[in-house]
Structures are given as structure tokens and as C-alpha cells.
Amino acid sequence: GENVEQHPSTLSVQEGDSAVIKCTYSDSASNYFPWYKQELGKGPQLIIDIRSNVGEKKDQRIAVTLNKTAKHFSLHITETQPEDSAVYFCAAISGGSYIPTFGRGTSLIVHP
Amino acid sequence: DAGITQSPRYKITETGRQVTLMCHQTWSHSYMFWYRQDLGHGLRLIYYSAAADITDKGEVPDGYVVSRSKTENFPLTLESATRSQTSVYFCASSGGLGGYTFGSGTRLTVV
């Protein structure tokens, strides 16, 4: 089955800095890669996603890149703000499945 | 209101009691899921369902039972609660095209 590794587990940055979270996956059949943000006391919320026919996708301050050859994808947050502090999860879904495999999560802390 | 709702938000129960966590979605999504979230373990899949009356075990199904008699509801039952089942439980639904929406969670404490 699919295996998703996520790094780092904790990331601490100063406000205004960029943050990068990386995930690797094992199943070459995976073709959909969503990212979720989970704020304290809330459920994970989809913030951006990318499909395997696209190499990069941006939405304001966040972007996701995908390298299918190397089987890794990354979340980039620019100009971080304190409200970006949360736990971020990556996931991968195979074309033959509807069940995502989640990474273990990254706790992002943005210091004012 | 449209969306996915879980109830209750918080629950304290005693060891050995049966407890049911409710999940309701208004999108008529085919797929529904139950996860538990514990420190150090991320999100672990308990059970999932592809449609009404179709359910299957996930990664950690022991001690849990699910049913799906209607598309919009997917209750999770702990038949005889144990302290190890103290956790935050999330329900999620998907239309099958990748979009995946989580509920707000139920924090369950078994004493």
C-alpha cells in the first residue's frame, strides 16, 4: 500500500519568513495530493491540492509543487503570519482508490 | 445548514459502556470515513464506506462498529468503551473526485 512520509514534524519560523513542508510517497499510481490545515480544536481543512498532471499550483501565499519522478511534493507558504500557525497534513490518493494516505503532520509555529 | 456535522462535540463515558458518535453530511457524498487522532499517530482510519450498506475496515477497526443505512449518516459505535479509545474522532466525506471534507470532531474521554 501507499506510504507517505512528512517532514519536518515541527517547524518554527519568524513572521514574514517562508515555510516549506515536504512529503514523499511510495505508490507511483498516486495521482492526487491534497494538503490540509488543522487549527487547534478544529477538523482538518483542505487548503490546496494538486493532481499528477500538474507540476505546481499557487493560491495567494501558498503553493504546492509535485515531482512525480522523485515521488515527492511540497507545501510552500510565503510571508508567514501568526494565523498560519497550525498542524499541516499532506496526503496521497491513488487513482485506483478513494482512500487517502496521510502524512503524520507538521506543527508550524509562526512567531510574531 | 449544508456541510458535515458531528455530535456530540464532547463526551465522557465510563469503561465498558456503549457509546455512539454521530456523523451527518448534506452533500449526498458517496464516501464517508471515520478517523481517530492521537498525539504521535496522526490520523488513523477506523472504518470507511463507499455507499449506503457498504462498509469496510480501516487501519484500526477493533472495538468499533459502523453502519450506513442512509447515505447521509455514518454513526460509529464503541460497543464496550476502553480507556485506549480516549481520542478525538473525526468523520469525513468525499464525492470521490478527491475533495475530502472533515467534521469538527468529537473529543471522547473514557474514564
Side-chain angles (χ1 to χ4, degrees):
Chain A
E2 176 65 278
N3 182 49
V4 176
E5 299 283 341
Q6 182 172 349
H7 298 282
S9 57
T10 304
L11 180 59
S12 184
V13 300
Q14 289 295 127
E15 183 177 359
D17 288 350
S18 294
V20 180
I21 302 169
K22 299 181 179 181
C23 289
T24 60
Y25 61 99
S26 60
D27 186 356
S28 56
S30 288
N31 61 2
Y32 176 66
F33 307 92
W35 284 89
Y36 291 86
K37 175 184 181 182
Q38 185 178 24
E39 297 175 335
L40 200 60
K42 297 184 179 180
Q45 184 174 21
L46 178 69
I47 55 172
I48 195 166
D49 57 11
I50 191 167
R51 298 194 183 271
S52 59
N53 58 345
V54 175
E56 184 176 2
K57 184 176 179 180
K58 288 184 179 179
D59 183 3
Q60 300 183 351
R61 294 186 298 107
I62 60 172
V64 57
T65 58
L66 171 65
N67 183 328
K68 288 189 294 181
T69 303
K71 296 200 190 78
H72 69 72
F73 56 112
S74 300
L75 178 71
H76 305 255
I77 306 175
T78 59
E79 300 173 22
T80 54
Q81 301 167 4
E83 51 264 38
D84 294 328
S85 295
V87 177
Y88 291 81
F89 291 96
C90 65
I93 302 177
S94 171
S97 171
Y98 57 90
I99 302 171
T101 301
F102 287 93
R104 286 285 188 94
T106 296
S107 178
L108 173 64
I109 303 165
V110 181
H111 299 280
Chain B
D1 288 339
I4 183 166
T5 55
Q6 292 184 238
S7 61
R9 284 283 280 142
Y10 303 92
K11 177 73 176 178
I12 300 174
T13 192
E14 295 179 338
T15 301
R17 289 201 181 258
Q18 183 181 81
V19 60
T20 296
L21 310 184
M22 305 300 294
C23 179
H24 174 79
Q25 53 105 354
T26 60
W27 293 299
S28 298
H29 281 168
S30 296
Y31 305 104
M32 295 188 75
F33 310 81
W34 274 106
Y35 289 88
R36 60 178 290 173
Q37 186 175 39
D38 306 285
L39 273 175
H41 291 281
L43 292 160
R44 291 187 289 176
L45 183 63
I46 305 170
Y47 268 96
Y48 59 99
S49 169
D53 298 322
I54 300 175
T55 62
D56 212 341
K57 296 178 180 179
E59 180 186 354
V60 289
D62 293 344
Y64 303 95
V65 175
V66 293
S67 63
R68 194 155 177 220
S69 57
K70 293 184 178 181
T71 300
E72 60 266 30
N73 297 324
F74 191 37
L76 176 74
T77 298
L78 288 67
E79 293 187 298
S80 178
T82 65
R83 289 193 180 88
S84 65
Q85 292 177 310
T86 292
S87 186
V88 181
Y89 291 85
F90 288 101
C91 178
S93 73
S94 169
L97 298 177
Y100 217 74
T101 305
F102 285 85
S104 298
T106 294
R107 183 174 293 275
L108 177 67
T109 303
V110 183
V111 298

